[in-house]
Amino acid sequence: MHATTNSAITAARASMAMRLQPVSIAPAPAREADPLDRLGAGVKFEKNRTIYFEGDAAEHCYRVKSGTVRLCKVTEDGRRQIAAFFTAGDMLGWTDHGFYGFSAEAVTDVTLEKFSRARVDDAVKASPPLGRRILTLLSTQLASAHDHLLLLGRMTAAERIASFLLGLVRRQHKGGSIELAMCRKDVADYLGLTVETVSRTMSALKRKGIISFAEPEYVQLNQCGALERLAMAA
Amino acid sequence: MHATTNSAITAARASMAMRLQPVSIAPAPAREADPLDRLGAGVKFEKNRTIYFEGDAAEHCYRVKSGTVRLCKVTEDGRRQIAAFFTAGDMLGWTDHGFYGFSAEAVTDVTLEKFSRARVDDAVKASPPLGRRILTLLSTQLASAHDHLLLLGRMTAAERIASFLLGLVRRQHKGGSIELAMCRKDVADYLGLTVETVSRTMSALKRKGIISFAEPEYVQLNQCGALERLAMAA
DNA sequence: CGCCAGATTGATACACATCAATTCTCGTGG
DNA sequence: CCACGAGAATTGATGTGTATCAATCTGGCG
């Protein structure tokens, strides 16, 4: 019935794990200048400043040079959902709908390259490979969002935390140890939980020796295997 | 602080409501032949057949001609999440990652146009406007997925049902009355709930006179205002 | 030092899941 | 035509994972 080999599934899973978080733009082909480089203007935002608001006209898109950005939306009564975190190399704000659907905010102090949408559009017309890159980008972000849907719709608190930590460790490949740029509230709003549940769940993992941390923002993954078993899902 | 006008927000909200469900490909420019038309091969799938499996090599993409398709993933222990429903005009299976991340299944009997990814890629190289259409497509689907994240992460059962029904009524603009192509289990798995909760919540809405239905698959929205108040969120 | 925001931990509440019957519809065969 | 069985939907009784409410603890900073 299932026409796929196991190795194909394994490969797919590996790639999916890699993109649990939004992923960097593909590196520009070998030794050519990145056509985006000519178009960008450097901008900085302090921690917790808003880069653009949900509902604003979508006249710019951005590429992260340093720091972390969150994409989020807040309801009238204060509930918040974070759709993604972006770090160095990620691109955000590309939409074909005239208005941003989610706000973008600086989680830490950030530096960005800011692009005029109109100019990028022109550049894309002139350079098909650039168009492809943006396509790849959106495709990656879409796949990532779909994985996030499974997490929010069907996973338990422990599974969500495990997936989140594994996603981070894969992005910042520094073996086992990760730095959380965001506070517990941000983690909670990304995972569809409350701060308390995030804190309790992480404490439980710590008690079991699966992870450890002295300060809340520096976490060591001691048993990735155990985490992967928790994150299971697919 | 918030630099946006109310009308901008209103416009953005309207457009966001419109794309709660994945949205049709933009109509081909006026009187020109759609470049995709030459590339597609018609295929049919019976209700509940799988169009492609998660993990399969992503060698084709599809455009729905009739019927409804679901994009979904099932965990080892049987939990399922539906990421999207696609209907006539929607495109699916476009990914830049070699393997499909989610399976696609026929909710009803469906007819599709099937495209070879390689050929579409070539066509895109030859025709920049086609590239733009696909970009728009992905951008729309991404925006839709982000709205879905808010729904799964932060909304109550009643809010999810209300959003879902409003999303449907906007797609099939037949004023007030909608046809559910999918069963309650599909709705539940799209909304991150159980069948029982979907059923109970819809019964409650019926008791209040906000909606009505004799057969489960034909629902009449009597008070869209009340539903919108429920769906609130943003 | 004393303040404050963030993190952690504890006690309790509740929304939704789970388990368990019915009921309803529809297709199938006697 | 009706009996029968199977799958889907609904409804009810109960359980539980996480939210909520409420302290307490911690580290940075004026």
Side-chain angles (χ1 to χ4, degrees):
Chain A
M1 172 173 267
H2 193 308
T4 311
T5 65
N6 281 337
S7 63
I9 292 185
T10 306
R13 282 192 189 151
S15 85
M16 281 185 289
M18 289 305 291
R19 59 167 204 253
L20 219 189
Q21 299 284 108
V23 161
S24 309
I25 202 165
R31 279 298 75 214
E32 296 180 30
D34 186 333
L36 283 178
D37 285 344
R38 331 183 122 270
L39 296 171
V43 291
K44 288 175 183 291
F45 289 87
E46 289 177 346
K47 180 169 175 165
N48 289 324
R49 287 272 181 266
T50 298
I51 296 159
Y52 56 75
F53 288 91
E54 165 200 349
D56 280 359
E59 289 164 355
H60 301 277
C61 57
Y62 302 81
R63 184 164 53 181
V64 179
K65 291 171 80 169
S66 72
T68 300
V69 172
R70 61 178 173 252
L71 245 201
C72 62
K73 183 180 268 194
V74 182
T75 65
E76 291 167 352
D77 57 351
R79 285 174 282 175
R80 184 177 72 153
Q81 179 63 43
I82 295 181
F85 293 110
F86 297 108
T87 56
D90 292 332
M91 198 136 187
L92 60 138
W94 182 285
T95 168
D96 265 1
H97 291 94
F99 301 94
Y100 300 114
F102 273 56
S103 303
E105 302 171 356
V107 171
T108 61
D109 290 352
V110 294
T111 60
L112 306 169
E113 290 172 275
K114 178 176 186 173
F115 305 99
S116 148
R117 265 307 301 275
R119 276 146 151 266
V120 176
D121 275 346
D122 292 345
V124 166
K125 277 187 200 102
S127 156
L130 178 58
R132 276 224 55 96
R133 264 174 65 201
I134 296 180
L135 223 101
T136 299
L137 187 98
L138 287 181
S139 169
T140 302
Q141 293 189 191
L142 183 60
S144 178
H146 284 164
D147 290 342
H148 198 176
L149 291 175
L150 176 64
L151 182 146
L152 292 178
R154 292 304 185 205
M155 291 175 111
T156 65
E159 291 167 345
R160 295 181 203 206
I161 296 283
S163 300
F164 179 68
L165 293 176
L166 287 171
L168 280 186
V169 87
R170 289 194 182 104
R171 297 197 91 194
Q172 2 177 135
H173 25 73
K174 304 177 183 171
S177 71
I178 56 190
E179 179 186 347
L180 302 225
M182 67 294 289
C183 66
R184 293 289 187 264
K185 185 68 166 58
D186 283 342
V187 175
D189 288 343
Y190 179 79
L191 298 179
L193 301 169
T194 59
V195 200
E196 293 94 330
T197 298
V198 169
S199 189
R200 270 188 254 275
T201 306
M202 292 195 55
S203 297
L205 290 175
K206 193 204 273 188
R207 245 176 283 121
K208 290 181 194 154
I210 295 174
I211 66 176
S212 45
F213 55 97
E215 305 146 89
E217 45 272 16
Y218 295 95
V219 178
Q220 176 73 31
L221 310 194
N222 302 318
Q223 308 170 217
C224 283
L227 282 180
E228 269 149 15
R229 245 168 288 131
L230 263 177
M232 57 104 257
Chain B
M1 171 172 266
H2 193 308
T4 311
T5 64
N6 281 338
S7 63
I9 292 185
T10 306
R13 283 193 190 151
S15 85
M16 282 185 288
M18 289 305 292
R19 63 170 201 253
L20 219 187
Q21 300 283 111
V23 161
S24 306
I25 203 164
R31 277 301 74 214
E32 295 180 32
D34 185 332
L36 284 178
D37 286 343
R38 333 183 121 272
L39 296 172
V43 290
K44 287 175 183 289
F45 289 88
E46 289 178 346
K47 181 168 176 167
N48 288 325
R49 287 272 181 267
T50 298
I51 296 159
Y52 55 77
F53 287 91
E54 165 199 350
D56 280 0
E59 289 164 355
H60 300 277
C61 58
Y62 301 83
R63 183 163 54 180
V64 180
K65 292 172 79 169
S66 71
T68 300
V69 172
R70 61 177 173 252
L71 244 201
C72 61
K73 183 181 268 195
V74 182
T75 66
E76 292 167 351
D77 57 351
R79 286 174 282 174
R80 185 177 69 155
Q81 179 64 43
I82 295 179
F85 293 111
F86 297 108
T87 56
D90 292 332
M91 199 135 186
L92 61 138
W94 184 283
T95 169
D96 265 0
H97 292 94
F99 300 94
Y100 300 115
F102 273 57
S103 303
E105 302 170 355
V107 172
T108 61
D109 290 352
V110 294
T111 60
L112 306 169
E113 289 172 276
K114 178 177 186 172
F115 305 99
S116 149
R117 264 308 300 277
R119 278 149 151 261
V120 175
D121 275 345
D122 291 345
V124 166
K125 277 187 200 104
S127 157
L130 178 58
R132 275 222 56 95
R133 265 174 64 200
I134 295 180
L135 222 100
T136 299
L137 187 97
L138 287 180
S139 169
T140 302
Q141 292 189 190
L142 183 60
S144 178
H146 284 164
D147 290 342
H148 198 178
L149 290 175
L150 176 63
L151 182 145
L152 292 177
R154 291 303 184 207
M155 291 174 105
T156 65
E159 290 167 345
R160 295 180 201 206
I161 295 283
S163 300
F164 179 68
L165 293 176
L166 287 171
L168 281 185
V169 86
R170 288 192 183 105
R171 295 198 92 196
Q172 5 176 132
H173 26 72
K174 303 177 180 170
S177 70
I178 57 192
E179 179 185 347
L180 301 229
M182 67 294 289
C183 66
R184 293 287 188 267
K185 184 69 167 56
D186 283 341
V187 175
D189 288 343
Y190 180 79
L191 299 178
L193 301 170
T194 59
V195 200
E196 294 94 329
T197 300
V198 169
S199 189
R200 271 188 252 276
T201 307
M202 292 196 54
S203 296
L205 290 175
K206 193 206 271 190
R207 245 176 283 119
K208 289 181 194 153
I210 295 173
I211 65 175
S212 44
F213 55 96
E215 303 146 272
E217 47 271 15
Y218 296 96
V219 179
Q220 176 73 31
L221 310 194
N222 302 317
Q223 306 171 219
C224 284
L227 282 181
E228 269 149 15
R229 245 168 287 131
L230 262 178
M232 58 103 256

